[in-house]
Amino acid sequence: MKASAGLDLFKTPLVLKIAGFTLITLTFFYLGKHWSSNGDQQVLFFSSSPGTSVGVSPNYGKSFNVTALIAQNQTDTVSEPEPTQVPVPPASTSPSSDSAAVEQPPPPPAKELDRTFGIIDGDGKMSDDFEVGEVDPEVVENWGNETEIDSGAGEGSRAKIKRFELCPESMREYIPCLDNVEAIKKLKSTEKGERFERHCPEKEKELNCLVPPPKGYRQPLPWPRSRDEVWFSNVPHTRLVDDKGGQNWITKAKDKFRFPGGGTQFIHGADQYLDQISKMVPDIAFGNHTRVVLDVGCGVASFGAYLLSRDVVPLSIAPKDVHENQIQFALERGVPAMVAAFATHRLLYPSQAFEIIHCSRCRINWTRDDGILLLEVNRMMRAGGYFAWAAQPVYKHEQALEEQWEEMLNLTTRLCWELVKKEGYIAIWQKPKNNSCYLSRDEGVSPPLCDQDDDPDKVWYVDLKPCITRIPENGYGANVTAWPARLHTPPDRLQSIQMDAYISRKELFKAESKYWSEIISGYVRAWHWKQLKLRNVLDMKAGFGGFAAALIDHGFNSWVMNVVPVSGPNTLPVIYDRGLLGVMHDWCEPFDTYPRTYDLLHASGLFSVERKRCNMSTIMLEMDRILRPGGRAYIRDTLDVMEELQEIANAMGWHSALHDTSEGPHASYRILVCDKRLLRS
């Protein structure tokens, strides 16, 4: 009876189901164990390589960091598009992880493993043995023989586009907004320096060709050697040698220009001159209290070049005047520099940006128009900062010069500047740390204080104002941490930036720094950035300056010009409070620098924003103009702009490759890595 009951139990539907499920589970376990134990089995994809029918998955043996994507979403101001189905790229452009958070496993034992970056050689393989400034003879000889190129995206891609032609040789030093002869001729007046300001070409007259280098252009000499000598063929202009050779500025020796380190007011050398300033005002403390310095009318920038060795980041500026190649020499030397002029508009730097503003025989009449130009100096100078003036009125006892000195004393007194020291060729004033002196002046004293609603950080095409910029009552901008701690200390002015976030600003600031530090670590490992000869770097959409800070943290011997586009929040004050350099700019217009200025252009999230305002090819052509032959561009942006950007890059003769970010092939972002080769007309 009991045995019969037991048999009936095993015949019930529930027991039969359990037994069947167990059998199926054991079967799948056996099959899975069998396949996973076979080390030769890999996921296969069709490959276009000759002689093979299949290829290894481009993502074989890789790890991806999902947290980097979260950080990117938190810090990027551009909303990401809906996920897009992305086809698997061919093996010749296999993606590479840029994350520093996960160590990469060893590569698979394949004989023809494709590289993840570099230049395509004659066999269609990627090579990384390319040096900055290297000439590609085949590209040079064949450029212009083809009028069209394939977009390289396969079926269903955009139509073929024409190669961009080379510009005439007369445009080798062309700066579009400063060389607009037609616009300059139409100016009603030029007595205040209007001809040295921005006058950009109209839409139909924008740059639409590739600016060629001078004949014999060579790979720039690396820093720090470039501080003392550069190739003559790269800046073949002798005007400064003829005019300033006797003042220890610059000399020519065979195939090089040499820079003895002197200047008009410091013919015995910039180092001795800087020592004198330090002794005159010990509180200046180069490299500690003083981190960011503006050198006005810089010559060949020897003052700035020698400040760099004191852990100071200088910005050398000068107009494109009769000595028009001053800034070009500075940039070729590897010194931070930009073409700019004190004329009728505010300079493109924020208020309280510089700890010292220096003028050595800069040929500027500071007292004209009741001191409106010195008021601009006052706006940009940090509260408690210093103005150093080395000029003939300081030390020469001639009637006309003594009158100029008295005018300068009168003006600086009304600005509440204190004459701290006058010695030899130099006079040094200090700006007040608060508004108490301004408010205690007699009623009606000129110049007046600016209105309360005046924004001293609004600089894009803003006229100079004949008033004294107020110092924030809360001390913002004055209370800056000493270098190097200030690089990672969220500054007070972070709270004054007009952006959506308020409570989380410090967290966003720190997250951006951490994010870029991890990305740069990945670039160093995967793309051997430490082997690149990077000196002059441009970050085209800088945010809080996290990319530049990461380069410093990783020990790169480079400087970064952080560009804050007018289309986003004005973060320039934060960048300067961190001890970095930056400038306001609209990428729908050309940048104020010479051709062949930068070794690296970095653009993260730029094109997906600016394409709503201007043509992407206009920006790319400007990038080509300011990028040195042999230089690189890293464009990190959304999928929907990458195809067009790669087409434009190919049409400019750049070698480009599209890579995944650390988030993998299904992320909404990609990295376009471009190398510019040397083209000749």
PDB file of all heavy atoms in Angstrom, residues 489-521:
ATOM      1  N   THR A 489      41.618  74.097  -5.063  1.00  0.00           N
ATOM      2  CA  THR A 489      40.737  74.678  -4.046  1.00  0.00           C
ATOM      3  C   THR A 489      39.586  75.406  -4.726  1.00  0.00           C
ATOM      4  O   THR A 489      39.819  76.360  -5.477  1.00  0.00           O
ATOM      5  CB  THR A 489      41.515  75.673  -3.159  1.00  0.00           C
ATOM      6  OG1 THR A 489      42.632  75.007  -2.557  1.00  0.00           O
ATOM      7  CG2 THR A 489      40.608  76.245  -2.084  1.00  0.00           C
ATOM      8  N   PRO A 490      38.331  74.986  -4.505  1.00  0.00           N
ATOM      9  CA  PRO A 490      37.205  75.707  -5.122  1.00  0.00           C
ATOM     10  C   PRO A 490      37.202  77.169  -4.682  1.00  0.00           C
ATOM     11  O   PRO A 490      37.083  77.462  -3.487  1.00  0.00           O
ATOM     12  CB  PRO A 490      35.961  74.963  -4.588  1.00  0.00           C
ATOM     13  CG  PRO A 490      36.466  73.604  -4.218  1.00  0.00           C
ATOM     14  CD  PRO A 490      37.877  73.819  -3.725  1.00  0.00           C
ATOM     15  N   PRO A 491      37.363  78.119  -5.605  1.00  0.00           N
ATOM     16  CA  PRO A 491      37.456  79.536  -5.221  1.00  0.00           C
ATOM     17  C   PRO A 491      36.096  80.130  -4.886  1.00  0.00           C
ATOM     18  O   PRO A 491      35.043  79.592  -5.268  1.00  0.00           O
ATOM     19  CB  PRO A 491      38.042  80.193  -6.474  1.00  0.00           C
ATOM     20  CG  PRO A 491      37.590  79.325  -7.605  1.00  0.00           C
ATOM     21  CD  PRO A 491      37.542  77.923  -7.064  1.00  0.00           C
ATOM     22  N   ASP A 492      36.128  81.255  -4.175  1.00  0.00           N
ATOM     23  CA  ASP A 492      34.882  81.935  -3.804  1.00  0.00           C
ATOM     24  C   ASP A 492      34.053  82.309  -5.023  1.00  0.00           C
ATOM     25  O   ASP A 492      32.815  82.220  -5.007  1.00  0.00           O
ATOM     26  CB  ASP A 492      35.194  83.205  -3.001  1.00  0.00           C
ATOM     27  CG  ASP A 492      35.826  82.899  -1.654  1.00  0.00           C
ATOM     28  OD1 ASP A 492      35.608  81.789  -1.139  1.00  0.00           O
ATOM     29  OD2 ASP A 492      36.554  83.767  -1.131  1.00  0.00           O
ATOM     30  N   ARG A 493      34.722  82.751  -6.085  1.00  0.00           N
ATOM     31  CA  ARG A 493      33.976  83.240  -7.256  1.00  0.00           C
ATOM     32  C   ARG A 493      33.251  82.133  -8.000  1.00  0.00           C
ATOM     33  O   ARG A 493      32.505  82.404  -8.949  1.00  0.00           O
ATOM     34  CB  ARG A 493      34.906  84.016  -8.188  1.00  0.00           C
ATOM     35  CG  ARG A 493      35.316  85.365  -7.618  1.00  0.00           C
ATOM     36  CD  ARG A 493      35.795  86.323  -8.685  1.00  0.00           C
ATOM     37  NE  ARG A 493      37.136  86.035  -9.139  1.00  0.00           N
ATOM     38  CZ  ARG A 493      37.784  86.768 -10.052  1.00  0.00           C
ATOM     39  NH1 ARG A 493      37.179  87.806 -10.617  1.00  0.00           N
ATOM     40  NH2 ARG A 493      39.024  86.460 -10.414  1.00  0.00           N
ATOM     41  N   LEU A 494      33.449  80.899  -7.602  1.00  0.00           N
ATOM     42  CA  LEU A 494      32.664  79.796  -8.143  1.00  0.00           C
ATOM     43  C   LEU A 494      31.173  80.034  -7.909  1.00  0.00           C
ATOM     44  O   LEU A 494      30.326  79.672  -8.726  1.00  0.00           O
ATOM     45  CB  LEU A 494      33.103  78.489  -7.483  1.00  0.00           C
ATOM     46  CG  LEU A 494      32.508  77.178  -7.988  1.00  0.00           C
ATOM     47  CD1 LEU A 494      32.901  76.922  -9.431  1.00  0.00           C
ATOM     48  CD2 LEU A 494      32.963  76.022  -7.107  1.00  0.00           C
ATOM     49  N   GLN A 495      30.850  80.701  -6.786  1.00  0.00           N
ATOM     50  CA  GLN A 495      29.447  80.946  -6.453  1.00  0.00           C
ATOM     51  C   GLN A 495      28.829  82.078  -7.276  1.00  0.00           C
ATOM     52  O   GLN A 495      27.608  82.209  -7.324  1.00  0.00           O
ATOM     53  CB  GLN A 495      29.325  81.294  -4.959  1.00  0.00           C
ATOM     54  CG  GLN A 495      29.857  80.222  -4.037  1.00  0.00           C
ATOM     55  CD  GLN A 495      29.186  78.877  -4.229  1.00  0.00           C
ATOM     56  OE1 GLN A 495      27.987  78.814  -4.529  1.00  0.00           O
ATOM     57  NE2 GLN A 495      29.935  77.793  -4.080  1.00  0.00           N
ATOM     58  N   SER A 496      29.653  82.880  -7.941  1.00  0.00           N
ATOM     59  CA  SER A 496      29.111  84.012  -8.703  1.00  0.00           C
ATOM     60  C   SER A 496      28.869  83.675 -10.173  1.00  0.00           C
ATOM     61  O   SER A 496      28.335  84.500 -10.914  1.00  0.00           O
ATOM     62  CB  SER A 496      30.067  85.210  -8.606  1.00  0.00           C
ATOM     63  OG  SER A 496      31.318  84.897  -9.205  1.00  0.00           O
ATOM     64  N   ILE A 497      29.262  82.470 -10.609  1.00  0.00           N
ATOM     65  CA  ILE A 497      29.061  82.074 -11.999  1.00  0.00           C
ATOM     66  C   ILE A 497      27.580  81.849 -12.256  1.00  0.00           C
ATOM     67  O   ILE A 497      26.894  81.170 -11.478  1.00  0.00           O
ATOM     68  CB  ILE A 497      29.854  80.788 -12.331  1.00  0.00           C
ATOM     69  CG1 ILE A 497      31.328  80.970 -11.984  1.00  0.00           C
ATOM     70  CG2 ILE A 497      29.685  80.418 -13.796  1.00  0.00           C
ATOM     71  CD1 ILE A 497      31.994  82.117 -12.683  1.00  0.00           C
ATOM     72  N   GLN A 498      27.072  82.414 -13.323  1.00  0.00           N
ATOM     73  CA  GLN A 498      25.655  82.254 -13.676  1.00  0.00           C
ATOM     74  C   GLN A 498      25.452  80.908 -14.357  1.00  0.00           C
ATOM     75  O   GLN A 498      25.694  80.737 -15.538  1.00  0.00           O
ATOM     76  CB  GLN A 498      25.204  83.392 -14.587  1.00  0.00           C
ATOM     77  CG  GLN A 498      25.243  84.759 -13.920  1.00  0.00           C
ATOM     78  CD  GLN A 498      24.757  85.871 -14.837  1.00  0.00           C
ATOM     79  OE1 GLN A 498      24.362  85.625 -15.972  1.00  0.00           O
ATOM     80  NE2 GLN A 498      24.780  87.093 -14.349  1.00  0.00           N
ATOM     81  N   MET A 499      24.992  79.937 -13.569  1.00  0.00           N
ATOM     82  CA  MET A 499      24.714  78.598 -14.070  1.00  0.00           C
ATOM     83  C   MET A 499      23.607  77.992 -13.224  1.00  0.00           C
ATOM     84  O   MET A 499      23.245  78.527 -12.173  1.00  0.00           O
ATOM     85  CB  MET A 499      25.978  77.731 -14.033  1.00  0.00           C
ATOM     86  CG  MET A 499      26.627  77.656 -12.680  1.00  0.00           C
ATOM     87  SD  MET A 499      28.230  76.810 -12.677  1.00  0.00           S
ATOM     88  CE  MET A 499      27.750  75.170 -13.144  1.00  0.00           C
ATOM     89  N   ASP A 500      23.061  76.887 -13.687  1.00  0.00           N
ATOM     90  CA  ASP A 500      21.890  76.299 -13.030  1.00  0.00           C
ATOM     91  C   ASP A 500      22.208  75.816 -11.618  1.00  0.00           C
ATOM     92  O   ASP A 500      21.478  76.089 -10.682  1.00  0.00           O
ATOM     93  CB  ASP A 500      21.348  75.130 -13.863  1.00  0.00           C
ATOM     94  CG  ASP A 500      20.766  75.604 -15.185  1.00  0.00           C
ATOM     95  OD1 ASP A 500      20.387  76.788 -15.259  1.00  0.00           O
ATOM     96  OD2 ASP A 500      20.699  74.805 -16.138  1.00  0.00           O
ATOM     97  N   ALA A 501      23.285  75.070 -11.476  1.00  0.00           N
ATOM     98  CA  ALA A 501      23.616  74.502 -10.167  1.00  0.00           C
ATOM     99  C   ALA A 501      24.035  75.597  -9.194  1.00  0.00           C
ATOM    100  O   ALA A 501      24.703  76.544  -9.572  1.00  0.00           O
ATOM    101  CB  ALA A 501      24.725  73.469 -10.314  1.00  0.00           C
ATOM    102  N   TYR A 502      23.668  75.469  -7.948  1.00  0.00           N
ATOM    103  CA  TYR A 502      24.115  76.421  -6.940  1.00  0.00           C
ATOM    104  C   TYR A 502      24.738  75.686  -5.756  1.00  0.00           C
ATOM    105  O   TYR A 502      25.911  75.855  -5.452  1.00  0.00           O
ATOM    106  CB  TYR A 502      22.959  77.293  -6.445  1.00  0.00           C
ATOM    107  CG  TYR A 502      23.417  78.342  -5.446  1.00  0.00           C
ATOM    108  CD1 TYR A 502      24.066  79.489  -5.881  1.00  0.00           C
ATOM    109  CD2 TYR A 502      23.241  78.163  -4.076  1.00  0.00           C
ATOM    110  CE1 TYR A 502      24.523  80.442  -4.981  1.00  0.00           C
ATOM    111  CE2 TYR A 502      23.691  79.105  -3.161  1.00  0.00           C
ATOM    112  CZ  TYR A 502      24.326  80.251  -3.619  1.00  0.00           C
ATOM    113  OH  TYR A 502      24.785  81.187  -2.724  1.00  0.00           O
ATOM    114  N   ILE A 503      23.948  74.826  -5.127  1.00  0.00           N
ATOM    115  CA  ILE A 503      24.445  74.117  -3.954  1.00  0.00           C
ATOM    116  C   ILE A 503      25.581  73.167  -4.323  1.00  0.00           C
ATOM    117  O   ILE A 503      26.544  73.006  -3.579  1.00  0.00           O
ATOM    118  CB  ILE A 503      23.286  73.337  -3.285  1.00  0.00           C
ATOM    119  CG1 ILE A 503      22.203  74.317  -2.821  1.00  0.00           C
ATOM    120  CG2 ILE A 503      23.795  72.508  -2.105  1.00  0.00           C
ATOM    121  CD1 ILE A 503      20.990  73.641  -2.235  1.00  0.00           C
ATOM    122  N   SER A 504      25.483  72.556  -5.511  1.00  0.00           N
ATOM    123  CA  SER A 504      26.431  71.501  -5.878  1.00  0.00           C
ATOM    124  C   SER A 504      27.640  72.001  -6.662  1.00  0.00           C
ATOM    125  O   SER A 504      28.355  71.200  -7.248  1.00  0.00           O
ATOM    126  CB  SER A 504      25.704  70.433  -6.704  1.00  0.00           C
ATOM    127  OG  SER A 504      25.185  71.005  -7.899  1.00  0.00           O
ATOM    128  N   ARG A 505      27.880  73.293  -6.670  1.00  0.00           N
ATOM    129  CA  ARG A 505      28.967  73.822  -7.508  1.00  0.00           C
ATOM    130  C   ARG A 505      30.336  73.287  -7.105  1.00  0.00           C
ATOM    131  O   ARG A 505      31.150  72.946  -7.960  1.00  0.00           O
ATOM    132  CB  ARG A 505      28.973  75.351  -7.457  1.00  0.00           C
ATOM    133  CG  ARG A 505      27.764  75.959  -8.137  1.00  0.00           C
ATOM    134  CD  ARG A 505      27.788  77.457  -8.075  1.00  0.00           C
ATOM    135  NE  ARG A 505      26.571  77.987  -8.693  1.00  0.00           N
ATOM    136  CZ  ARG A 505      26.511  79.133  -9.346  1.00  0.00           C
ATOM    137  NH1 ARG A 505      27.592  79.867  -9.474  1.00  0.00           N
ATOM    138  NH2 ARG A 505      25.388  79.546  -9.866  1.00  0.00           N
ATOM    139  N   LYS A 506      30.604  73.240  -5.824  1.00  0.00           N
ATOM    140  CA  LYS A 506      31.900  72.731  -5.386  1.00  0.00           C
ATOM    141  C   LYS A 506      32.059  71.266  -5.762  1.00  0.00           C
ATOM    142  O   LYS A 506      33.151  70.820  -6.126  1.00  0.00           O
ATOM    143  CB  LYS A 506      32.063  72.922  -3.881  1.00  0.00           C
ATOM    144  CG  LYS A 506      32.228  74.379  -3.470  1.00  0.00           C
ATOM    145  CD  LYS A 506      32.521  74.509  -1.986  1.00  0.00           C
ATOM    146  CE  LYS A 506      32.738  75.973  -1.599  1.00  0.00           C
ATOM    147  NZ  LYS A 506      33.042  76.124  -0.153  1.00  0.00           N
ATOM    148  N   GLU A 507      30.972  70.520  -5.677  1.00  0.00           N
ATOM    149  CA  GLU A 507      31.028  69.108  -6.058  1.00  0.00           C
ATOM    150  C   GLU A 507      31.274  68.967  -7.556  1.00  0.00           C
ATOM    151  O   GLU A 507      32.041  68.095  -7.996  1.00  0.00           O
ATOM    152  CB  GLU A 507      29.725  68.400  -5.660  1.00  0.00           C
ATOM    153  CG  GLU A 507      29.569  68.148  -4.172  1.00  0.00           C
ATOM    154  CD  GLU A 507      29.324  69.412  -3.363  1.00  0.00           C
ATOM    155  OE1 GLU A 507      28.875  70.414  -3.961  1.00  0.00           O
ATOM    156  OE2 GLU A 507      29.592  69.404  -2.146  1.00  0.00           O
ATOM    157  N   LEU A 508      30.652  69.829  -8.358  1.00  0.00           N
ATOM    158  CA  LEU A 508      30.877  69.800  -9.798  1.00  0.00           C
ATOM    159  C   LEU A 508      32.322  70.163 -10.134  1.00  0.00           C
ATOM    160  O   LEU A 508      32.952  69.565 -11.005  1.00  0.00           O
ATOM    161  CB  LEU A 508      29.920  70.770 -10.503  1.00  0.00           C
ATOM    162  CG  LEU A 508      28.446  70.371 -10.542  1.00  0.00           C
ATOM    163  CD1 LEU A 508      27.615  71.492 -11.150  1.00  0.00           C
ATOM    164  CD2 LEU A 508      28.255  69.090 -11.333  1.00  0.00           C
ATOM    165  N   PHE A 509      32.842  71.151  -9.432  1.00  0.00           N
ATOM    166  CA  PHE A 509      34.231  71.572  -9.624  1.00  0.00           C
ATOM    167  C   PHE A 509      35.186  70.409  -9.358  1.00  0.00           C
ATOM    168  O   PHE A 509      36.076  70.111 -10.162  1.00  0.00           O
ATOM    169  CB  PHE A 509      34.511  72.751  -8.682  1.00  0.00           C
ATOM    170  CG  PHE A 509      35.931  73.236  -8.671  1.00  0.00           C
ATOM    171  CD1 PHE A 509      36.341  74.245  -9.520  1.00  0.00           C
ATOM    172  CD2 PHE A 509      36.866  72.695  -7.787  1.00  0.00           C
ATOM    173  CE1 PHE A 509      37.649  74.710  -9.500  1.00  0.00           C
ATOM    174  CE2 PHE A 509      38.172  73.151  -7.763  1.00  0.00           C
ATOM    175  CZ  PHE A 509      38.562  74.159  -8.617  1.00  0.00           C
ATOM    176  N   LYS A 510      34.995  69.731  -8.237  1.00  0.00           N
ATOM    177  CA  LYS A 510      35.870  68.613  -7.878  1.00  0.00           C
ATOM    178  C   LYS A 510      35.664  67.427  -8.811  1.00  0.00           C
ATOM    179  O   LYS A 510      36.624  66.735  -9.173  1.00  0.00           O
ATOM    180  CB  LYS A 510      35.613  68.208  -6.426  1.00  0.00           C
ATOM    181  CG  LYS A 510      36.012  69.275  -5.418  1.00  0.00           C
ATOM    182  CD  LYS A 510      35.664  68.861  -3.995  1.00  0.00           C
ATOM    183  CE  LYS A 510      36.045  69.938  -2.984  1.00  0.00           C
ATOM    184  NZ  LYS A 510      35.662  69.552  -1.603  1.00  0.00           N
ATOM    185  N   ALA A 511      34.407  67.197  -9.218  1.00  0.00           N
ATOM    186  CA  ALA A 511      34.126  66.068 -10.109  1.00  0.00           C
ATOM    187  C   ALA A 511      34.778  66.273 -11.474  1.00  0.00           C
ATOM    188  O   ALA A 511      35.293  65.316 -12.067  1.00  0.00           O
ATOM    189  CB  ALA A 511      32.616  65.897 -10.265  1.00  0.00           C
ATOM    190  N   GLU A 512      34.765  67.521 -11.976  1.00  0.00           N
ATOM    191  CA  GLU A 512      35.396  67.787 -13.266  1.00  0.00           C
ATOM    192  C   GLU A 512      36.892  67.513 -13.202  1.00  0.00           C
ATOM    193  O   GLU A 512      37.471  66.903 -14.109  1.00  0.00           O
ATOM    194  CB  GLU A 512      35.151  69.234 -13.688  1.00  0.00           C
ATOM    195  CG  GLU A 512      35.680  69.529 -15.087  1.00  0.00           C
ATOM    196  CD  GLU A 512      35.812  71.015 -15.387  1.00  0.00           C
ATOM    197  OE1 GLU A 512      36.795  71.630 -14.914  1.00  0.00           O
ATOM    198  OE2 GLU A 512      34.939  71.541 -16.082  1.00  0.00           O
ATOM    199  N   SER A 513      37.533  67.938 -12.115  1.00  0.00           N
ATOM    200  CA  SER A 513      38.970  67.705 -11.963  1.00  0.00           C
ATOM    201  C   SER A 513      39.275  66.216 -11.902  1.00  0.00           C
ATOM    202  O   SER A 513      40.219  65.731 -12.553  1.00  0.00           O
ATOM    203  CB  SER A 513      39.486  68.396 -10.698  1.00  0.00           C
ATOM    204  OG  SER A 513      39.408  69.800 -10.819  1.00  0.00           O
ATOM    205  N   LYS A 514      38.483  65.469 -11.147  1.00  0.00           N
ATOM    206  CA  LYS A 514      38.706  64.025 -11.034  1.00  0.00           C
ATOM    207  C   LYS A 514      38.473  63.335 -12.368  1.00  0.00           C
ATOM    208  O   LYS A 514      39.223  62.441 -12.764  1.00  0.00           O
ATOM    209  CB  LYS A 514      37.780  63.448  -9.968  1.00  0.00           C
ATOM    210  CG  LYS A 514      37.962  61.953  -9.746  1.00  0.00           C
ATOM    211  CD  LYS A 514      37.026  61.424  -8.672  1.00  0.00           C
ATOM    212  CE  LYS A 514      37.210  59.920  -8.487  1.00  0.00           C
ATOM    213  NZ  LYS A 514      36.278  59.383  -7.471  1.00  0.00           N
ATOM    214  N   TYR A 515      37.433  63.767 -13.062  1.00  0.00           N
ATOM    215  CA  TYR A 515      37.086  63.176 -14.356  1.00  0.00           C
ATOM    216  C   TYR A 515      38.236  63.326 -15.351  1.00  0.00           C
ATOM    217  O   TYR A 515      38.682  62.346 -15.967  1.00  0.00           O
ATOM    218  CB  TYR A 515      35.822  63.858 -14.878  1.00  0.00           C
ATOM    219  CG  TYR A 515      35.443  63.491 -16.291  1.00  0.00           C
ATOM    220  CD1 TYR A 515      34.935  62.245 -16.582  1.00  0.00           C
ATOM    221  CD2 TYR A 515      35.593  64.409 -17.329  1.00  0.00           C
ATOM    222  CE1 TYR A 515      34.575  61.904 -17.877  1.00  0.00           C
ATOM    223  CE2 TYR A 515      35.245  64.080 -18.626  1.00  0.00           C
ATOM    224  CZ  TYR A 515      34.729  62.823 -18.889  1.00  0.00           C
ATOM    225  OH  TYR A 515      34.386  62.491 -20.174  1.00  0.00           O
ATOM    226  N   TRP A 516      38.759  64.554 -15.491  1.00  0.00           N
ATOM    227  CA  TRP A 516      39.827  64.774 -16.461  1.00  0.00           C
ATOM    228  C   TRP A 516      41.137  64.145 -16.016  1.00  0.00           C
ATOM    229  O   TRP A 516      41.952  63.724 -16.853  1.00  0.00           O
ATOM    230  CB  TRP A 516      40.002  66.268 -16.742  1.00  0.00           C
ATOM    231  CG  TRP A 516      38.946  66.792 -17.660  1.00  0.00           C
ATOM    232  CD1 TRP A 516      37.997  67.734 -17.388  1.00  0.00           C
ATOM    233  CD2 TRP A 516      38.709  66.363 -19.001  1.00  0.00           C
ATOM    234  NE1 TRP A 516      37.183  67.922 -18.473  1.00  0.00           N
ATOM    235  CE2 TRP A 516      37.597  67.090 -19.481  1.00  0.00           C
ATOM    236  CE3 TRP A 516      39.312  65.433 -19.836  1.00  0.00           C
ATOM    237  CZ2 TRP A 516      37.093  66.924 -20.761  1.00  0.00           C
ATOM    238  CZ3 TRP A 516      38.805  65.261 -21.122  1.00  0.00           C
ATOM    239  CH2 TRP A 516      37.713  65.999 -21.576  1.00  0.00           C
ATOM    240  N   SER A 517      41.362  64.034 -14.731  1.00  0.00           N
ATOM    241  CA  SER A 517      42.559  63.353 -14.259  1.00  0.00           C
ATOM    242  C   SER A 517      42.548  61.890 -14.683  1.00  0.00           C
ATOM    243  O   SER A 517      43.569  61.340 -15.119  1.00  0.00           O
ATOM    244  CB  SER A 517      42.654  63.459 -12.732  1.00  0.00           C
ATOM    245  OG  SER A 517      43.830  62.834 -12.259  1.00  0.00           O
ATOM    246  N   GLU A 518      41.384  61.238 -14.586  1.00  0.00           N
ATOM    247  CA  GLU A 518      41.273  59.846 -15.010  1.00  0.00           C
ATOM    248  C   GLU A 518      41.421  59.718 -16.525  1.00  0.00           C
ATOM    249  O   GLU A 518      42.066  58.788 -17.020  1.00  0.00           O
ATOM    250  CB  GLU A 518      39.923  59.272 -14.565  1.00  0.00           C
ATOM    251  CG  GLU A 518      39.793  59.114 -13.055  1.00  0.00           C
ATOM    252  CD  GLU A 518      38.446  58.550 -12.647  1.00  0.00           C
ATOM    253  OE1 GLU A 518      37.575  58.383 -13.539  1.00  0.00           O
ATOM    254  OE2 GLU A 518      38.252  58.274 -11.447  1.00  0.00           O
ATOM    255  N   ILE A 519      40.846  60.667 -17.262  1.00  0.00           N
ATOM    256  CA  ILE A 519      40.941  60.616 -18.722  1.00  0.00           C
ATOM    257  C   ILE A 519      42.395  60.778 -19.169  1.00  0.00           C
ATOM    258  O   ILE A 519      42.889  60.032 -20.025  1.00  0.00           O
ATOM    259  CB  ILE A 519      40.062  61.709 -19.359  1.00  0.00           C
ATOM    260  CG1 ILE A 519      38.581  61.451 -19.058  1.00  0.00           C
ATOM    261  CG2 ILE A 519      40.286  61.772 -20.873  1.00  0.00           C
ATOM    262  CD1 ILE A 519      38.045  60.143 -19.591  1.00  0.00           C
ATOM    263  N   ILE A 520      43.103  61.753 -18.597  1.00  0.00           N
ATOM    264  CA  ILE A 520      44.498  61.971 -18.978  1.00  0.00           C
ATOM    265  C   ILE A 520      45.350  60.751 -18.622  1.00  0.00           C
ATOM    266  O   ILE A 520      46.262  60.374 -19.373  1.00  0.00           O
ATOM    267  CB  ILE A 520      45.056  63.242 -18.304  1.00  0.00           C
ATOM    268  CG1 ILE A 520      44.295  64.490 -18.783  1.00  0.00           C
ATOM    269  CG2 ILE A 520      46.540  63.403 -18.601  1.00  0.00           C
ATOM    270  CD1 ILE A 520      44.357  64.724 -20.271  1.00  0.00           C
ATOM    271  N   SER A 521      45.055  60.123 -17.495  1.00  0.00           N
ATOM    272  CA  SER A 521      45.780  58.899 -17.143  1.00  0.00           C
ATOM    273  C   SER A 521      45.598  57.842 -18.227  1.00  0.00           C
ATOM    274  O   SER A 521      46.551  57.140 -18.597  1.00  0.00           O
ATOM    275  CB  SER A 521      45.280  58.356 -15.803  1.00  0.00           C
ATOM    276  OG  SER A 521      45.598  59.221 -14.745  1.00  0.00           O
TER     277      SER A 521
END
